[in-house]
Amino acid sequence: MKKLALITSAAILAAATPALADEWDFMLINSTGKAIDKIEVAPTGSTAWVENKFDAELNKNGKVKAGGKTTVHFDKAASACKFDVRGTFEDKTSAVWSNINLCDNSYVTLAFTGDKPTFKAN
């Protein structure tokens, strides 16, 4: 009987534990023509922006020069694959690239077509 109670308790605790986020990353290539000061990632359709956890050994200040690239580190909920990426530029303007599938793509090139943010993912 004690064994059944222990198994039941463990099952209840496991069900009550929230899903933990996984650490993910992707390579961002900056083809916007402007230096990016800050990169943020949020699940598509949300406003839960999280700043890139840049690798200080590779990128001392977190900025990405025009034509440069960096690895973007973020926490991904187990159920999310589509994300928005927001870049804030040196001139303090910003742009959002929406609906990027980061589960299936490791490289994301950010660009503009005219004034419209566009991306290529592979």
Side-chain angles (χ1 to χ4, degrees):
M1 190 59 125
K2 284 184 180 182
K3 188 175 182 179
L4 180 59
L6 183 61
I7 292 171
T8 303
S9 296
I12 291 170
L13 284 174
T17 303
L20 300 177
D22 292 325
E23 289 186 16
W24 279 64
D25 57 41
F26 65 94
M27 180 63 65
L28 181 142
I29 298 100
N30 180 5
S31 293
T32 64
K34 304 191 292 185
I36 300 174
D37 275 353
K38 183 167 73 169
I39 300 163
E40 298 167 290
V41 179
T44 293
S46 78
T47 57
W49 295 105
V50 177
E51 194 166 344
N52 174 28
K53 302 176 205 172
F54 66 90
D55 189 342
E57 291 180 18
L58 299 175
N59 188 335
K60 300 256 185 246
N61 59 14
K63 296 181 182 187
V64 186
K65 65 182 179 179
K69 59 185 173 182
T70 192
T71 301
V72 176
H73 303 280
F74 68 103
D75 292 330
K76 183 186 102 44
S79 62
C81 278
K82 302 253 176 137
F83 289 86
D84 298 342
V85 175
R86 179 167 62 185
T88 302
F89 301 100
E90 281 183 323
D91 63 4
K92 306 302 179 214
T93 61
S94 64
V96 175
W97 291 265
S98 296
N99 211 27
I100 303 172
N101 185 332
L102 294 178
C103 290
D104 297 336
N105 298 287
S106 299
Y107 296 87
V108 176
T109 302
L110 304 181
F112 287 106
T113 300
D115 290 338
K116 182 182 178 190
T118 57
F119 70 90
K120 178 181 174 187
N122 54 4

